[in-house]
Amino acid sequence: MTVTAEEALAGVQNAIAAYTHALDAGRSEEIPGLFTEDGVAEIVGQGTFEGREAIGKAFGAFVPQAPQLHLVGNTLLTSPPGDEVTASSSLVFFARGEEGWAVQLVGSYEDTLVRVDGAWKFRKRVTSFQP
């Protein structure tokens, strides 16, 4: 079945939303299942985690200690649509403290996703932050 650009973009956006919602809610145990078995999560300056087990261990350490929110936008497919796509997104990370919500980080996601049994999974996710 041919994948349209609209279908691919919707799948990518859904995978990104599942990832950020799980992070923000402290459901780090859901993160590995959003990746392929041999998936790679790279956080520039912090490490590269290969395979679901390593990803689960790494993200288990990222359980929020206070309310947080990842806002992702400007997602652009950077490859033709198919069963594997690449995409680039902008990221703003907020945390809520005593003074209210404040921007903590600005960055980007560079993703490679594949369609597995109708669901989009991250094959590789590179997260980088702006200074």
Side-chain angles (χ1 to χ4, degrees):
M1 180 168 110
T2 302
V3 178
T4 67
E6 292 80 13
E7 291 168 328
L9 182 59
V12 166
Q13 290 172 326
N14 191 54
I16 292 169
Y19 175 94
T20 58
H21 280 267
L23 280 178
D24 293 340
R27 298 188 314 266
S28 58
E29 72 279 0
E30 294 177 13
I31 300 297
L34 300 173
F35 285 80
T36 60
E37 288 288 337
D38 61 347
V40 175
E42 179 183 349
I43 303 171
V44 175
Q46 294 185 29
T48 300
F49 313 100
E50 299 183 31
R52 286 184 176 163
E53 185 176 336
I55 291 168
K57 185 175 179 182
F59 282 86
F62 297 147
V63 176
Q65 303 302 306
Q68 67 180 38
L69 179 65
H70 288 77
L71 291 181
V72 181
N74 301 327
T75 300
L76 176 68
L77 293 182
T78 55
S79 68
D83 287 332
E84 178 174 303
V85 296
T86 57
S88 181
S89 303
S90 300
L91 161 68
V92 180
F93 174 74
F94 295 85
R96 191 174 76 200
E98 291 182 22
E99 302 294 320
W101 290 97
V103 173
Q104 301 297 305
L105 299 166
V106 175
S108 64
Y109 291 130
E110 299 297 330
D111 295 316
T112 301
L113 295 100
V114 295
R115 196 165 57 155
V116 179
D117 298 327
W120 290 90
K121 304 279 184 181
F122 294 101
R123 175 168 282 154
K124 185 171 185 182
R125 164 159 268 209
V126 178
T127 305
S128 56
F129 303 107
Q130 306 300 317

